[in-house]
């Protein structure tokens, strides 16, 4: 079987990494396509993968104007490759081109608030796979599974933390503060930490540093405090650094969820919700979602002042792992079963 896998975000690369390896092992031919966003190319290369990349538009207007451009770009690639199936984490481009070529498109999604992308993708998609925690009903095309996509790359079966990573970066006890540009299509009307001045960010960092050194992961470096404390790491080391951190706090849902899956206390500061984060909080107590940065600071202090919190979080993580399915195995089986998917 010939498969196109479309990656639009660094997380997509991680989610599909072990799936691609399993598909190739089973004899399938996989072509990776994506947008030239952030460090996607570098992550793919570190995993030993190659891909083809179309343009990436940084704002909502650009994304809207670039829709047809990316559709045409992918259509030309697909006509040459002649795939049997398109697979993505909800790519409208793959959905549209799959319909033009009369091939199935399977979407593996986890972001309920990505409403524009879902509306553009869903009519042209055959099946949509979501976690059982996904709070939106997408109709008869939706199939739920008992897991989180982060488990496709952070389950102990697939991820072994490198104990040398702290030494490599000269770190001891540290907190990761994640700042996001909030420029994705699903970030429309989203608010997070909302630092208006560098002084506000400095004060926040000072409060957190009562407990541990703060390293900032940021998509922008407009202030000197960000440049001075920026978490400068090889992409391949990111999850090791998260694993060994004391706490992860910020406005990026991906990093917060990854920390939770790794058994690290995490706090998501946003006016938006994610079903998987809600379940990780309500069912397992691994993470928290708050709307105001002051509430995030209070929750961080509450956690870090508990001397046994690390042991407690690892026990919570183990309970979660014991109850969830093998996500890689689920994804591979559903992709290989695509011959049974009927076009609507």
């Amino acid at each position: 079987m010939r498969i196109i896998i479309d990656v639009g975000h660094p997380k997509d690369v991680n989610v599909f990494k072990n799936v691609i390896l399993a598909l190739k092992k089973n004899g399938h031919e996989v072509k990776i396509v994506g947008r030239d966003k952030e460090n996607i190319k570098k992550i793919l290369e570190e995993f030993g993968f190659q891909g083809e990349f179309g343009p990436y538009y940084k704002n909502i207007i650009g994304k809207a104007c670039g829709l047809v451009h990316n559709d045409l770009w992918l259509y030309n690639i697909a006509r040459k490759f002649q795939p049997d199936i398109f697979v993505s984490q909800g790519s409208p481009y793959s959905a549209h081109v799959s319909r033009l070529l009369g091939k199935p498109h399977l979407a593996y999604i986890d972001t309920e608030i990505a409403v524009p992308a879902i509306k553009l993708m869903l009519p042209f998609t055959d099946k949509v796979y979501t976690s059982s925690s996904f709070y939106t009903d997408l109709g008869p095309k939706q199939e739920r599974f008992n897991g989180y996509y982060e488990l496709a790359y952070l389950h102990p079966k697939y991820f072994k933390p490198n104990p040398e990573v702290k030494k490599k970066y000269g770190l001891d006890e540290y907190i990761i503060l994640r700042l996001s540009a909030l420029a994705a299509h699903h970030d429309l009307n989203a608010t997070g930490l909302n630092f208006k001045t560098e002084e506000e960010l400095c004060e926040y960092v000072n409060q957190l540093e009562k407990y541990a050194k703060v390293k900032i992961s940021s998509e922008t470096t407009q202030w000197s405090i960000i440049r001075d404390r920026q978490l400068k790491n090889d992409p391949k080391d990111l999850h090791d650094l998260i694993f060994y951190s004391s706490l992860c706090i910020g406005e990026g849902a991906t990093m917060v969820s990854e920390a939770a899956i790794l058994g690290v206390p995490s706090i998501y500061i946003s006016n938006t919700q994610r079903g998987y984060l809600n379940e990780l909080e309500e069912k397992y107590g691994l993470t928290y979602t708050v709307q105001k940065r002051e509430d995030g600071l209070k929750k961080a202090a509450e956690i870090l002042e508990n001397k046994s919190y690390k042991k407690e979080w690892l026990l919570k993580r183990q309970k979660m792992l014991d109850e969830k399915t093998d996500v890689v195995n689920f994804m591979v089986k559903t992709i290989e079963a695509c011959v049974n998917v009927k076009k609507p």
Side-chain angles (χ1 to χ4, degrees):
M1 186 163 58
R2 297 166 70 84
I3 306 163
I4 280 184
I5 293 186
D6 189 342
V7 295
H9 186 279
K11 178 181 175 180
D12 299 355
V13 182
N14 288 307
V15 169
F16 285 120
K17 174 184 68 173
N18 293 304
V19 174
I20 292 169
L21 292 174
L23 289 170
K24 287 186 173 183
K25 184 178 180 181
N26 291 350
H28 304 296
E29 187 174 351
V30 177
K31 174 175 276 295
I32 302 170
V33 300
R35 260 59 62 207
D36 190 8
K37 177 184 180 182
E38 295 180 33
N39 53 2
I40 288 180
K41 283 185 181 180
K42 188 171 183 180
I43 296 173
L44 281 170
E45 289 169 359
E46 288 181 343
F47 291 153
F49 299 144
Q50 297 296 319
E52 294 192 45
F53 300 91
Y56 167 62
Y57 301 92
K58 293 186 177 181
N59 55 54
I60 301 299
I61 295 175
K63 293 176 193 297
C65 295
L67 182 63
V68 174
H69 186 182
N70 270 311
D71 279 359
L72 289 172
W73 171 82
L74 181 55
Y75 177 76
N76 289 328
I77 290 174
R79 281 192 64 189
K80 294 177 183 178
F81 183 67
Q82 291 295 303
D84 298 298
I85 184 173
F86 290 75
V87 177
S88 77
Q89 282 214 283
S91 165
Y93 318 122
S94 282
H96 298 165
V97 175
S98 72
R99 179 58 59 90
L100 288 172
L101 295 179
K103 303 297 180 181
H105 173 240
L106 307 185
Y108 298 82
I109 68 174
D110 64 1
T111 305
E112 296 90 341
I113 64 170
V115 176
I118 291 173
K119 286 184 176 180
L120 287 167
M121 172 271 297
L122 191 59
F124 311 101
T125 296
D126 298 86
K127 293 286 288 186
V128 180
Y129 298 99
T130 69
S131 168
S132 54
S133 63
F134 196 89
Y135 59 72
T136 302
D137 183 355
L138 298 177
K141 294 180 180 180
Q142 183 179 19
E143 181 177 328
R144 299 174 184 271
F145 65 94
N146 183 29
Y148 311 115
Y149 285 115
E150 290 83 358
L151 288 170
Y153 56 102
L154 294 180
H155 190 283
K157 180 178 178 180
Y158 306 106
F159 174 73
K160 307 297 181 187
N162 176 11
E164 298 297 315
V165 74
K166 291 203 295 183
K167 182 179 179 181
K168 177 178 178 179
Y169 293 98
L171 296 171
D172 187 16
E173 292 290 319
Y174 58 99
I175 293 167
I176 297 177
L177 174 61
R178 173 61 173 167
L179 307 180
S180 174
L182 299 178
H185 60 80
H186 56 254
D187 289 325
L188 192 64
N189 299 319
T191 60
L193 287 157
N194 300 327
F195 294 118
K196 299 295 191 297
T197 67
E198 185 171 8
E199 288 70 26
E200 289 180 351
L201 175 56
C202 286
E203 177 57 28
Y204 207 76
V205 168
N206 288 339
Q207 291 299 315
L208 288 171
E209 289 205 322
K210 293 178 179 178
Y211 305 97
K213 184 180 182 66
V214 171
K215 299 300 292 183
I216 299 176
S217 170
S218 177
E219 296 175 17
T220 61
T221 57
Q222 76 272 34
W223 292 330
S224 61
I225 186 174
I226 298 177
R227 294 191 294 272
D228 292 342
R229 297 172 183 270
Q230 182 81 313
L231 187 62
K232 299 176 182 177
N233 60 279
D234 295 332
K236 65 182 178 62
D237 294 330
L238 177 60
H239 298 118
D240 301 288
L241 287 165
I242 294 174
F243 181 86
Y244 288 108
S245 67
S246 299
L247 178 112
C248 179
I249 180 171
E251 53 199 355
T254 295
M255 188 173 288
V256 167
S257 64
E258 289 173 339
I261 294 295
L262 290 171
V264 175
S266 60
I267 303 166
Y268 180 49
I269 302 172
S270 177
N271 65 334
T272 67
Q273 299 282 315
R274 302 287 192 281
Y276 56 91
L277 286 176
N278 291 344
E279 183 177 279
L280 283 166
E281 176 176 359
E282 296 163 8
K283 190 172 183 179
Y284 300 108
L286 283 164
T287 189
Y288 300 94
T289 296
V290 299
Q291 292 197 24
K292 298 180 180 179
R293 65 179 187 239
E294 293 81 7
D295 293 336
L297 202 58
K298 290 177 184 177
K299 181 58 69 174
E302 177 185 318
I303 294 167
L304 295 169
E305 288 173 3
N306 174 5
K307 301 303 181 184
S308 61
Y309 81 89
K310 290 186 178 180
K311 181 179 179 181
E312 291 175 10
W313 252 258
L314 289 176
L315 290 172
K316 294 176 184 180
R317 181 201 189 206
Q318 190 57 53
K319 180 178 186 296
M320 178 270 295
L321 292 173
D322 290 342
E323 295 180 0
K324 295 304 177 185
T325 192
D326 185 327
V327 177
V328 172
N329 186 51
F330 171 80
M331 294 175 72
V332 170
K333 283 186 174 181
T334 52
I335 292 169
E336 290 185 327
C338 75
V339 291
N340 298 318
V341 175
K342 304 298 183 182
K343 295 295 288 182

